[in-house]
Amino acid sequence: MGFTDYFSDSFKYLRTMSLADIVDVLIVAVLIYVCIGLIRRTNANRLARGIVFILLALVVSDIARLKMVNSLMRRIVELGLIAIVVIFQPEIRRLLERMGSGKFAYFFGAPGAPATMESVINQTVLACASMSESRTGALIVFERTSSLNDQIATGTVVNAEVSSELLRNIFFVNSPLHDGAVIMRDGRLAAAGCMLPLSNNASLSSDLGMRHRAGIGMSEHSDAVVAIVSEETGSISVAMDGMLKRHLTPDTFGKILRAELMPDTEAPVKRRGILGLVDSVKGLKVKKNDKEEGK
């Protein structure tokens, strides 16, 4: 069968599709898209590659008629479905909570409110500037695409609006939560008193304390932005991608947070989910039209 015949047969099948078939395909496509987004947000790329490898081994063993290997792969897949539910339990719970609360805009990629993040950054800068003057140690983590559920589970859930007063009270010396880290999520203070992984980088300066090593370690394990106030010197630092920017003024500190946490106001807002996919398709069409006009 040639390519033309194959294309002709495929077109015939498409003509026999009903509206229910199209809706069925779209629903499955959306589910696959949401699952891929979930994997990206949870930093589970290695796990996803392992799952793909097992599925490929199942298909190959079935084609090659390797009965024992195929039977073993089938058992692994059956047990893997249960394991996936256990591994992604926090993410699945958040997904169901969003559905139950009627926040369907999450699935259609509604952009977040820049004004909310602006307020969060302003309050954080005010708090860190005050704690820098009083030499009060602080460790503040801003979650981005990598999920920090494991770190949140080690602390106390707060889920409160961010304010300078709240941050200063949390990191007050006599506060029971002052030794841990605060984690920000979706413009809210998600948890306090959280434990972070320490950096294993042997080349770090010897004058860096546990807070700085924990902040750098967190930035090595995720794409989070970590703000640190030194208890010894009162200096403000920011850790990103395993790198540390030290001795920042409040003004410079605020500019770094805005550059990393807020979208570029001059660029079009990137939407997530289905609307993000639609925007990508529109962008490809616009580029194609521009090329045709240029010819």
Side-chain angles (χ1 to χ4, degrees), residues 151 154-156 158 170-171 176-183 191-195:
Q151 286 71 37
T154 64
T156 301
V158 180
I170 289 175
F171 290 111
L177 301 175
H178 82 281
D179 281 333
V182 159
I183 295 181
C194 303
M195 303 300 294

Side-chain angles (χ1 to χ4, degrees), residues 178-232:
H178 82 281
D179 281 333
V182 159
I183 295 181
M184 305 287 194
R185 167 182 283 173
D186 297 333
R188 294 180 66 84
L189 199 158
C194 303
M195 303 300 294
L196 305 182
L198 296 177
S199 174
N200 294 321
N201 189 348
S203 63
L204 293 178
S205 175
S206 59
D207 64 340
L208 294 178
M210 296 295 288
R211 280 193 179 88
H212 290 84
R213 293 181 181 275
I216 296 171
M218 188 72 263
S219 69
E220 291 172 346
H221 287 80
S222 69
D223 64 347
V225 176
V226 187
I228 309 157
V229 179
S230 173
E231 187 174 354
E232 288 76 19

Side-chain angles (χ1 to χ4, degrees), residues 87-98:
I87 293 172
F88 289 102
Q89 184 269 336
E91 286 75 20
I92 294 174
R93 180 176 178 179
R94 288 179 61 193
L95 193 65
L96 294 175
E97 286 177 351
R98 287 180 181 271

